[in-house]
Amino acid sequence: MSVSASKKRRALISGLAFLTPNIICVGLFTIFPVFFSIGMAFTNWDLTQHNMFKDVPLRFVGFDNFVELFRNLYFWQYLGNTLFLMIGIPFAMAGSLGAALLLNQNARSILRRGGLLLLATVGLTGACLLLVTLGMAASATVILVVSVAVAVLMTGTVGGSMVYRTLFYMPHFTAGVATFLLWKKMYDPLTGPINQALNPVLSGLEPMVLAAPDRTFSWLAIALVLVIGWLAMSWIGKMRGECADGDLGPAAFVLCVLLLLAPLLFLGFRAMPRYLWFPLSVGAVLITLFHAGRFLWSERMRARGPWEGAGGALLLTGGLLTLSLILFGLSLVSHHLPAMAAEGLDPPRWLVAYHWAKPALMIMAFWGAIGSNNMLLYLAALSNVPQDLMEAADIDGAGAIQKFWYVTWPQLAPTTFFILTMSVIIGLQGGFEMARAMTEGGPAGATTTLSYYIYSEGFETGRLGYASAVAWIMFIMVFSITIVNWKFGSRYVND
Amino acid sequence: MGQTTTQPLKKSYVLNLVLALMSMMLVLPFIWMVLTSVKHITEVGDASWVPGAAGWQWSNYLDVFQAIPFDLYMWNSVLVASWVTLLVLVTSSMAAYSFTRIDWPGRDKVFFLYLATMMLPGLVTMIPNFQIMIHLRLVDTLTGLVIPAASTAFGTFLLRQFMLSIPRSYDESASMDGASHWSIYCDIILPLARPGLITLGIFTFISNYHSFFWPLVMLRTQEKYTLPIGLLHFETAAGESTHLLMAAVTMSILPAIVVFLLFQKFLIKGIQLGGVKG
């Protein structure tokens, strides 16, 4: 008895001793600051009021900081910016998945049978054509870029997918202020290579748009909106099927509806011409209400757990939302295209234009995200897809797309869910570095995210109390995503 | 049978082509970067990517050292990143040892607490940490960059995963022979956890080499700047000398690329084992 007690005590002492260096650091720079920060969020601590020259007494102000925050229009704008930048997440995930699928094919050395020669020729011609059509006919550039392309192709042919994986991963691994500054120079409206490549393309496009018959582009806009409608209808059909099978609970269903409808209706209200937006939104709301009512009050639904199948349904809805947003954007562009062409099509001014700064950052983030850790996670998951499932699908005569959709994709679901929630968590806290290095939050706050807001309030303006309050609001958002991850992630993995 | 031999080959051509084109698109910015870094100042901003009549100006790389104390920035960055890496490896491996090899009461609850700190946004603790730094008089010092980064929950978590995969029979026999925890930790566990330590070391080094927020807040004098801060100020000050900036950018991402090429294997394994981050 006493032996085991003393043994236990000895274990406790040595266990804590090994933990000491870590605990000192975590305690001083994580645990203590957390409580300190909670306290700060409820004070009026402001470095312009409390410094060595001016000592206004520090006092507790209760929830004043939070009230001010919710009334502050800037907060909402910056929250909107943060969420807007997160639209890039599904694209980045699709890119990573695509890259992983390609790499997983295990491109092996095909030096035999003159493959190299053939590949080099094809690559050379293809790249030449691409560059010439892009208008970069300046011969030295073309020759150089093409020769690099061929070099890539040749090393890849010899070295297999390993070489490509390294090249894919490079943008992510070098990401930092250095690459942000590189992109800032590339986005320069006059001297940057992006606009220098876009200029000839756009001046070629201009007469074509102007020559098109009247209303062509309005009809195109309407057609695209109709495609969104069709997508939404098939989504409802799918949801309905899942509800009928008992795979989807009412709460999960409502969440999906909100996720799909709210952004579309809001964006439509803000940006769409009224003749498109009004009938569409009224129709969508009516149809959804009708179906929602039927689902929620049917006998079958009440027997189910409310959150049944939320993970899969949310992924599906997210994908649909992304697709709808693309179509939505295209529809807007084609609506405005004739007017724009009449004034002359100029390439965007990227970082210095209010409406282009965020897309510019998203394009850059996409470049870095394709070959990121997410691609490696997908690669690992792909190598874990059971081979016998694939063989069974082969025997059933499934094509490549069917095999992907019915075998690979469901097997990847836990990974996808994990990557999605982690990306959302990182996205909520992100955007500071690129905004600070490339735009300083501008133009007119277009690229100021929540993290940038905390930085500027906490370290530039010196309103420590208010900045802490913003930080805690951010924590609450991150925390709720984490809860979702725990709750549905584990359930989804078990399926 | 004939089909099965020709099919993969044909597929392989297309696959290689697609992969090469994709990697080409991803590498294009880097090509532009290097080409711009060797342009003459009069040709910066020309539509042609390749240096023209003025020739390839490799001397731009030397001019960077005239324009900014690049070597000093690099030294500061490497110094801070190395110290952080060393400290993180020590604190995390000791904590991971405690969490995997010593059965002390309440251990799992404490570990859960550690995990919970991982989801805390760094921004929540930044503001109070800066006040702590003011009181410790560490603002505008390199020490102030190292100390708060000296332990990470992620590192503890990653090494715990590694150490769990080391069979307990190794150290149990040693403890039968009367070896102390310290000698088991030093002589048995650390050598066996080497791949994990290398992975964590590379992650920590690179993320601190790129670290931006905290140095930006902490550093005031130019002699203390790390590379990201130095580059940021150079960009603001340099104005039109894009060629010099690109030369500096090229030199600053070179170490990251070298480290990656050397330790690829460990990194990829580590990412797939420990989830994301890094």
Side-chain angles (χ1 to χ4, degrees):
Chain A
M1 183 73 187
S2 69
V3 173
S4 88
S6 82
K7 217 175 160 187
K8 240 183 189 167
R9 223 181 55 211
R10 279 231 314 273
L12 183 64
I13 289 169
S14 46
L16 288 180
F18 269 89
L19 213 53
T20 313
N22 207 324
I23 266 191
I24 291 175
C25 205
V26 169
L28 189 56
F29 297 109
T30 305
I31 312 276
F32 169 67
V34 167
F35 292 104
F36 195 19
S37 173
I38 296 178
M40 279 166 108
F42 293 96
T43 65
N44 63 345
W45 196 342
D46 184 339
L47 291 185
T48 58
Q49 304 296 316
H50 315 285
N51 53 39
M52 56 174 120
F53 305 111
K54 193 174 177 189
D55 201 14
V56 178
L58 196 69
R59 60 188 174 81
F60 278 87
V61 292
F63 283 92
D64 280 9
N65 282 329
F66 293 91
V67 172
E68 187 197 332
L69 185 156
F70 283 116
R71 284 194 184 148
N72 192 335
L73 285 180
Y74 286 119
F75 170 77
W76 293 105
Q77 186 196 354
Y78 301 152
L79 177 64
N81 289 343
T82 312
L83 297 178
F84 190 99
L85 288 174
M86 281 162 58
I87 295 175
I89 291 174
F91 295 97
M93 285 173 65
S96 301
L97 177 60
L101 282 170
L102 285 174
L103 288 177
N104 195 46
Q105 303 288 316
N106 253 328
R108 278 272 153 244
S109 170
I110 47 166
L111 279 170
R112 285 154 291 152
R113 309 189 198 191
L116 187 65
L117 201 66
L118 182 71
L119 277 176
T121 327
V122 172
L124 202 73
T125 349
C128 269
L129 282 176
L130 183 80
L131 288 170
V132 170
T133 47
L134 283 179
M136 295 161 66
S139 57
T141 315
V142 174
I143 292 170
L144 189 115
V145 171
V146 168
S147 51
V148 175
V150 173
V152 168
L153 195 60
M154 275 158 62
T155 14
T157 319
V158 177
S161 42
M162 173 82 165
V163 173
Y164 298 122
R165 193 182 60 189
T166 308
L167 290 175
F168 281 9
Y169 197 52
M170 221 162 85
H172 175 75
F173 200 71
T174 54
V177 172
T179 48
F180 296 152
L181 293 179
L182 164 62
W183 274 86
K184 184 178 181 181
K185 291 299 168 194
M186 297 216 307
Y187 274 133
D188 191 293
L190 294 174
T191 60
I194 295 177
N195 275 6
Q196 282 169 351
L198 279 180
N199 261 324
V201 177
L202 288 178
S203 51
L205 199 66
E206 206 178 285
M208 283 159 63
V209 173
L210 290 177
D214 262 7
R215 294 245 163 239
T216 314
F217 288 97
S218 296
W219 284 115
L220 190 63
I222 293 174
L224 286 167
V225 167
L226 287 178
V227 174
I228 299 181
W230 175 76
L231 276 175
M233 292 304 284
S234 51
W235 174 81
I236 286 178
K238 168 101 177 148
M239 291 284 140
R240 184 177 180 171
E242 298 218 338
C243 286
D245 298 342
D247 291 338
L248 190 67
F253 175 75
V254 171
L255 196 64
C256 287
V257 170
L258 285 179
L259 177 71
L260 186 69
L261 277 187
L264 278 180
L265 291 185
F266 178 71
L267 277 177
F269 179 72
R270 290 279 298 271
M272 259 190 164
R274 296 289 173 268
Y275 71 87
L276 283 177
W277 176 76
F278 194 69
L280 179 80
S281 56
V282 171
V285 169
L286 282 180
I287 292 173
T288 321
L289 279 180
F290 172 68
H291 282 282
R294 274 184 50 187
F295 294 150
L296 295 180
W297 274 274
S298 68
E299 263 321 299
R300 270 221 184 85
M301 292 294 289
R302 251 171 274 162
R304 301 292 159 195
W307 292 105
E308 202 76 46
L314 280 174
L315 274 184
L316 184 76
T317 313
L320 182 75
L321 183 66
T322 315
L323 205 59
S324 310
L325 286 175
I326 299 175
L327 292 171
F328 185 78
L330 286 175
S331 150
L332 272 181
V333 168
S334 66
H335 174 73
H336 291 295
L337 200 57
M340 278 154 60
E343 285 175 18
L345 286 178
D346 289 321
R349 295 175 56 75
W350 299 113
L351 296 174
V352 284
Y354 183 83
H355 288 292
W356 278 103
K358 278 190 286 273
L361 294 185
M362 284 157 74
I363 292 170
M364 186 190 73
F366 180 71
W367 168 78
I370 291 180
S372 64
N373 298 342
N374 297 344
M375 178 187 79
L376 298 180
L377 289 175
Y378 267 133
L379 265 176
L382 279 173
S383 64
N384 287 337
V385 172
Q387 212 49 52
D388 47 334
L389 278 182
M390 279 306 199
E391 279 158 18
D394 270 333
I395 291 167
D396 291 345
I401 294 174
Q402 282 177 315
K403 265 199 288 191
F404 172 75
W405 197 243
Y406 292 107
V407 181
T408 316
W409 178 245
Q411 289 285 320
L412 291 179
T415 312
T416 307
F417 193 74
F418 175 75
I419 292 176
L420 180 67
T421 45
M422 287 314 284
S423 306
V424 171
I425 288 173
I426 293 169
L428 279 173
Q429 305 173 44
F432 169 76
E433 296 201 351
M434 44 186 196
R436 181 66 184 78
M438 294 170 77
T439 60
E440 301 197 38
T447 55
T448 305
T449 57
L450 282 187
S451 54
Y452 199 103
Y453 192 38
I454 296 171
Y455 166 80
S456 65
E457 288 291 334
F459 294 102
E460 285 177 344
T461 324
R463 296 179 65 203
L464 303 183
Y466 183 72
S468 301
V470 180
W472 279 100
I473 292 296
M474 180 197 261
F475 169 77
I476 290 169
M477 288 190 283
V478 169
F479 185 72
S480 34
I481 301 291
T482 314
I483 297 288
V484 169
N485 189 13
W486 278 347
K487 199 167 161 62
F488 302 118
S490 57
R491 176 175 303 191
Y492 210 48
V493 173
N494 291 340
D495 274 355
Chain B
M1 210 57 211
Q3 220 184 3
T4 47
T5 48
T6 55
Q7 195 89 351
L9 195 70
K10 215 159 93 190
K11 215 173 100 184
S12 225
Y13 289 134
V14 179
L15 188 66
N16 262 296
L17 205 63
V18 173
L19 282 170
L21 277 180
M22 265 178 85
S23 14
M24 187 61 202
M25 298 305 279
L26 292 179
V27 176
L28 270 181
F30 292 120
I31 296 175
W32 183 79
M33 167 187 83
V34 173
L35 288 175
T36 307
S37 76
V38 291
K39 274 185 176 176
H40 191 261
I41 186 164
T42 51
E43 290 169 351
V44 172
D46 284 1
S48 170
W49 285 27
V50 187
W56 295 51
Q57 303 285 319
W58 292 103
S59 58
N60 286 348
Y61 283 85
L62 290 177
D63 294 348
V64 171
F65 290 90
Q66 302 292 318
I68 49 168
F70 187 86
D71 44 341
L72 187 66
Y73 295 166
M74 179 70 95
W75 169 249
N76 288 342
S77 274
V78 171
L79 191 71
V80 169
S82 309
W83 268 109
V84 172
T85 308
L86 185 73
L87 291 175
V88 162
L89 286 180
V90 171
T91 57
S92 304
S93 64
M94 285 177 72
Y97 181 84
S98 176
F99 283 130
T100 52
R101 287 305 195 268
I102 308 174
D103 291 309
W104 45 281
R107 182 183 78 172
D108 294 340
K109 277 178 198 134
V110 174
F111 180 68
F112 187 75
L113 206 86
Y114 262 74
L115 275 190
T117 62
M118 254 168 87
M119 68 180 192
L120 203 73
L123 285 162
V124 169
T125 52
M126 289 280 185
I127 299 166
N129 271 343
F130 189 65
Q131 298 303 313
I132 294 174
M133 286 296 146
I134 292 175
H135 284 281
L136 294 177
R137 296 183 188 285
L138 287 176
V139 175
D140 200 21
T141 61
L142 295 181
T143 324
L145 301 188
V146 174
I147 293 181
S151 91
T152 60
F154 171 70
T156 309
F157 171 71
L158 189 78
L159 286 184
R160 180 179 175 270
Q161 297 293 93
F162 257 96
M163 287 187 189
L164 282 177
S165 67
I166 301 171
R168 281 204 84 147
S169 51
Y170 288 110
D171 46 294
E172 263 163 9
S173 59
S175 88
M176 294 284 188
D177 296 342
S180 68
H181 276 303
W182 182 250
S183 60
I184 295 176
Y185 164 76
C186 289
D187 300 336
I188 299 176
I189 298 295
L190 278 191
L192 285 173
R194 190 131 91 300
L197 291 175
I198 294 177
T199 307
L200 177 62
I202 303 302
F203 271 135
T204 315
F205 186 88
I206 287 298
S207 68
N208 279 281
Y209 182 76
H210 287 319
S211 163
F212 181 52
F213 195 117
W214 191 239
L216 182 69
V217 170
M218 289 281 288
L219 300 178
R220 302 288 151 80
T221 48
Q222 201 185 11
E223 295 80 58
K224 309 272 172 48
Y225 284 171
T226 56
L227 260 182
I229 311 301
L231 285 179
L232 184 77
H233 287 282
F234 182 43
E235 199 269 335
T236 325
E240 292 310 304
S241 48
T242 306
H243 55 309
L244 292 188
L245 181 71
M246 285 304 121
V249 165
T250 309
M251 284 193 283
S252 81
I253 64 177
L254 220 54
I257 293 177
V258 171
V259 166
F260 174 68
L261 290 179
L262 288 178
F263 296 100
Q264 238 200 116
K265 201 178 67 187
F266 292 103
L267 282 168
I268 286 163
K269 211 171 157 192
I271 289 160
Q272 291 171 348
L273 191 86
V276 280
K277 225 160 180 179

